Amino acid sequence: MIDRSERFLHGETRFVQDIELPDTLYLEVLRGPVAHAKITSVNGGISAKDLGLKLISVGESYRRGSGYQSEPVFATEKILYYGEPVAAVYDKDRYRARDMLESIDVKYEELDPVVTIEDALSKPPIHEGHTDNIVGRFVIGERFDKKGEVTVEDELSMERIVPNPLETRGIVAWYNSGKLNVFISTQSVYSIRRGLAGALKLDERDIIVHQVDTGGAFGSKSAVYPEYVIASYISMKERKPVKWIESRQEHLAATRPGRGAKANLRLYANNDGRVIGVEGKVYVNVGAFADDLSSTAPSWISSQITGPYAIENAYIEGLSVYTNTAPQGPYRGAGRPEAAFFIERLMDRLADAIGMDPAEVRLKNLPSGAFRSPTGLEVNGSREFFEKGLNEIGYWRMKKEGRKIGVSFGILIPAVYGGESAKITLKDGKASVWLGGAPHWQRQELFVKHILKDVLGIDQEKVELLNSDTAELNVGIGTWGSRSAIVAGKAVYMAALKLKEDAERMGIRDTASLLNSGLSAEYYEPENLDPSFISFILTAAEAELINGIEPRISRCWAYYDVGEPLSQEAVHGQISGGLVMGIAEVLTEALEYDKKGIPVARTLSEAGVAYINQVPEMHITFVSYGRSRAPHGAKGVGEAGTVGAPPAAARAIELITGKRISRLPLDRATLI
Amino acid sequence: MKVTININGKDYSADVEPRMTLVDFIRDVAGLKGTHVGCETGHCGACSVLIDGRPVKSCLMLAVQANGKRITTIEGIGKDGGPNEVQMALSSSKALQCAFCSTGFVVVGTWALEENGELTEDVIKESFIGNVCRCTGYEPIIKALRGVRKND
Amino acid sequence: MLIPVGFEYLKPKNLAELDEAVRDGAFLISGGTVGVRLLKERIVRPKLVVDISEVEEAQGAKQGEGIVDLGAALKIYQLQRLSVNGPVSDMIRFVSSGIADPAIRTMGSLGGNIALADPSNELPVPLMLADASLLIYGQHRFHEEKIRGFIHGPHRTGLKPGEVIVRVRYKELDGYRWSYKKHFIRNLDHYVGISGAMAKVDSGKIIDLRLVVAGEAIMGFKYLAPERAIGARPSEAIIKEVAEEAVSGISPKSDRQGPSEYKVAVLKKLVELSVKEALGA
């Protein structure tokens, strides 16, 4: 059997851009050319008026809270962000479809755009019928009086980031014999099925979603987007396959970006370094439309603001706000890096204020036993882990040598909620495996093979992990939030155990017979967060100056708790990938808007993604600081690097430039 | 306009619009889907192919510009019917993740090995300066390819 | 997706064919690394694209009587392995090896790099230092122009519609040392600053010092021959003075390449580094 990686090295791919069905129609989308405008007319193509009121909303089935403004399929009365779909055209010739876009005439009157969080709080509401631009208000923790001997405060922010997987988004929708077949690049076929059913008013049983090879996602391929609804709608109308492939420029303008968070925080402490409490405000820019995830982001960030530390008091007010920018979504880490950046920057500030080593200050505040934070988060004791980690990476030795090392301590809370499903079929001499979380090859196949070898004694080369598919596995969740190794791993493990029992009952003893037995097993069970799932991460960085002025990270260290590591390569690759993304977030990567709310970057390079010349020397160590509650003991790792790297890298740069860093990406004005 | 391009040793002729990009010719006319479109502006390297042995970004070239040229795509790369040194090193190290970028890395890496005889860390960092890998942080790729030599 | 508007395409084999091919509104491409992108983004919408990459008069490189003569159609990667001698040629080889990436260097040409006059184009820097001449052809005649006067500003040159650069010629600067420094924030993006320096120092005294600065910090190309350095001994003070002169009067705009003051500081730093190296100080 050809391993997937073998297939790819020879170019035998099945990405959505590679799928060509007979009679395909190619879809192109006309997008809002300004961030905020009143539409006076749209002539040509299909637009909001053609869909009818019933098909107006993309996120219908995601809406649980009330009052959120969820996303329309096409802009209706107003254009609310640059890149918002306004109309669409299609043709059997892809080049002609692109030409047809120019025949659509949109007339509009520009309105004052609300671009930043500050704009949102001071300018009139962007949505009709709203009194302000506030989406949600949250209070986390309780007010406290004890303020201590030292107060440090800062305004900290992390700019928006476009996920920019190397493969953009794309879909082939084919309505055929009463069923909508969807071939898609996604993190979750179930999320796509639910979203399309809601938007198109179809029964979920009439939608079959097939994941095709998915070229990265980083959060951007979990939700349903307007183009998916448009493609499906046209296919239902024309009864032909409809294909849409996003251009990079569309991705940079309209795919959900992550981050876009700001905090005004105060940390109260005593001169001995003990922190008494943290207090302040956390804001998140949700963009023009909200869903449950984006609107509650300030609450999610604030709930983990105390990190691994035994901080007794916390009182945070969270606000999510609308702006005339693309709707916000998850980006690798999704709230975890924000919380870590906020608290870790304050820890460094405190260390400077009292003249203590930053690692020492952190150790002072770590509990040795389990701790329940004032925000309700249960975290195990981590002092021993971080003490050991500092020694392992040589922190104290390097410090003695006069080297300037930035360090961050963090927690990684995996999104285990909901659990996950898996199916294993033993047939034709091989084991075929499907997961609920659509793999885009964060090396899930490595842990799947590991588990099947472990439980059923099946050799690695006899195991194939297939793309996620609602036709094979009817229930499931998705891949995100550092969850796959834990919940999908557990589901595979449990399904394998079931097969083992079945095989024993049937008297099958050798693996050859087992692999031809035709046995199949599915497993699904919801999961809840447990402190044993939370892993600890210690990250350190050292910086240097290029041409005596521009910082780069020259070395970094990761000492991460991954529970039972299921595959060395998989864990290593997840960490190195996360670290480099985290470093890029400090130095180069951001979705910046001009004053009119138009994204500045028009290419991957301008978006500031990391290239090979940005890679530091890496020292990656992973250890098991206790197994997780899952039967196979795994913890999460996918987002560890993006949580740990930004504060460590920011500190390392601060140490060589002497200029304080409070916002990401680095403001070059602070370098002179 | 009539265009004939030799791809992986085989001539592909078609009457195409002059505005057709080379990558579209490779994917849609020749039907070779291993060359990917990642950014369309020459900044990611996913569409890398070799023309007369040297790498080009096929999204930034018109098919008519390549008329009469000899092109090697990922489908034409390998050695004695199997993987070449670069493919073997990337495969055994399990360095790849989503693999959308990997065909570009293999194409450019194959050229770099041919050009230099050995992939040192400097050669790797210089050769892949125009190839984006979004998943791995590059370090596993550097480790996998460092020290790979041409076996004749 | 990015797809150009429809156009006709011609690829003349020589200047005579070029004369026939070129007509009003024709869009000329050589390597196409910039031109094809402009087409794909529909920033240019020509009816005719003329590919000048195979014009025979613009091929090859030769050296004789102290003059180096380069065909404008030479690809950047061919410049990397130019077999001509002298410090200017050394500098051209070095600069070429650092342009964009190997694939872009396969495609991009010497002529394109000059004619586009993007402040981040690199080959004008050594050529301006060497006071190179451009042989230009158009409307059935040749004329020569010095590259120093040819580039008028960002994306603005003395090239008239239908004209092409055929050859680039320069005299080697024997006995000169050179240095080339550039600075970017994002890989493959525009340069914040570029500084190229060439100097001749004899018996501890500066005989000649030339400087070209470019990049976003100055939004163009600037040639300087700092007079006060001539006859002086290389010193930190001289280097600082030259750097001050290079950045005097510039006020770049603040944008994604950093605030104005950052760009000035970067350029100043680059000038210091390159002048120091060229002076062997």
Side-chain angles (χ1 to χ4, degrees), chain A residues 6 95 443 572 589 610-611, chain B residues 24 43 91 96 134 138-139:
Chain A
E6 301 290 321
Y95 281 32
R443 309 311 308 224
H572 185 100
E589 199 170 358
Y611 283 79
Chain B
D24 283 352
H43 293 96
S91 164
L96 302 171
R134 198 62 178 144
Y138 303 95
E139 189 249 14

Side-chain angles (χ1 to χ4, degrees), chain A residues 287-304:
Chain A
F289 304 103
D291 61 15
D292 281 343
L293 203 60
S294 65
S295 58
T296 59
S299 163
W300 164 236
I301 293 169
S302 305
S303 72
Q304 45 186 315

Side-chain angles (χ1 to χ4, degrees), chain A residues 312-392:
Chain A
E312 301 282 349
N313 303 289
Y315 179 72
I316 314 280
E317 292 172 76
L319 272 184
S320 45
V321 298
Y322 290 117
T323 61
N324 291 119
T325 60
Q328 193 249 22
Y331 171 63
R332 199 171 192 172
R336 301 165 184 84
E338 292 91 317
F341 184 71
F342 296 157
I343 190 66
E344 290 299 280
R345 292 279 55 211
L346 290 173
M347 282 292 186
D348 286 335
R349 272 212 151 208
L350 173 61
D352 292 344
I354 59 172
M356 190 181 274
D357 178 87
E360 193 67 52
V361 169
R362 287 171 167 86
L363 288 177
K364 280 246 159 165
N365 289 286
L366 289 178
S368 35
F371 178 79
R372 188 183 159 84
S373 84
T375 63
L377 188 68
E378 288 189 49
V379 190
N380 283 334
S382 60
R383 183 184 293 173
E384 188 199 342
F385 173 86
F386 285 107
E387 271 174 351
K388 192 155 177 248
L390 287 169
N391 287 328
E392 290 275 326

Side-chain angles (χ1 to χ4, degrees), chain A residues 472-597:
Chain A
E472 288 291 345
L473 193 53
N474 192 42
V475 289
I477 308 291
T479 177
W480 49 67
S482 305
R483 70 198 311 271
S484 296
I486 302 172
V487 289
K490 176 182 173 183
V492 172
Y493 187 90
M494 300 305 281
L497 277 186
K498 227 189 253 184
L499 286 173
K500 194 178 173 187
E501 284 165 22
D502 291 349
E504 275 165 15
R505 206 173 44 242
M506 292 168 65
I508 301 172
R509 284 190 181 80
D510 62 304
T511 46
S513 322
L514 184 64
L515 287 170
N516 288 299
S517 64
L519 284 173
S520 184
E522 274 184 40
Y523 175 88
Y524 173 72
E525 196 177 281
E527 184 62 80
N528 282 310
L529 185 64
D530 174 281
S532 75
F533 288 129
I534 299 179
S535 48
F536 300 119
I537 57 181
L538 187 161
T539 316
E542 189 175 26
E544 65 185 10
L545 291 178
I546 297 170
N547 290 328
I549 192 162
E550 177 71 21
R552 78 180 283 270
I553 300 300
S554 51
R555 288 187 186 80
C556 73
W557 294 262
Y559 182 83
Y560 291 178
D561 161 30
V562 299
E564 201 63 35
L566 297 179
S567 151
Q568 302 285 324
E569 296 95 342
V571 170
H572 185 100
Q574 285 296 309
I575 295 174
S576 58
L579 288 171
V580 167
M581 274 187 163
I583 291 168
E585 199 166 341
V586 175
L587 288 170
T588 51
E589 199 170 358
L591 165 58
E592 286 166 326
Y593 294 92
D594 68 12
K595 287 194 179 67
K596 302 193 84 178

Side-chain angles (χ1 to χ4, degrees), chain C residues 199-278:
Chain C
K200 189 167 189 173
V201 178
D202 198 13
S203 322
K205 281 197 178 141
I206 302 170
I207 308 295
D208 191 11
L209 175 63
R210 306 169 178 202
L211 190 68
V212 171
V213 287
E216 298 283 306
I218 104 161
M219 274 317 279
F221 296 83
K222 187 158 103 177
Y223 171 78
L224 290 99
E227 275 173 31
R228 73 191 81 185
I230 309 302
R233 294 188 175 278
S235 67
E236 285 296 327
I238 288 285
I239 294 165
K240 288 247 180 299
E241 269 183 52
V242 172
E244 279 300 337
E245 188 185 334
V247 302
S248 75
I250 68 168
S251 57
K253 61 177 195 292
S254 298
D255 58 17
R256 66 185 174 80
Q257 297 283 11
S260 183
E261 323 84 79
Y262 169 79
K263 293 180 182 175
V264 176
V266 164
L267 190 63
K268 203 168 147 189
K269 196 91 198 173
L270 296 177
V271 173
E272 285 174 16
L273 292 170
S274 60
V275 170
K276 189 171 178 176
E277 201 171 276

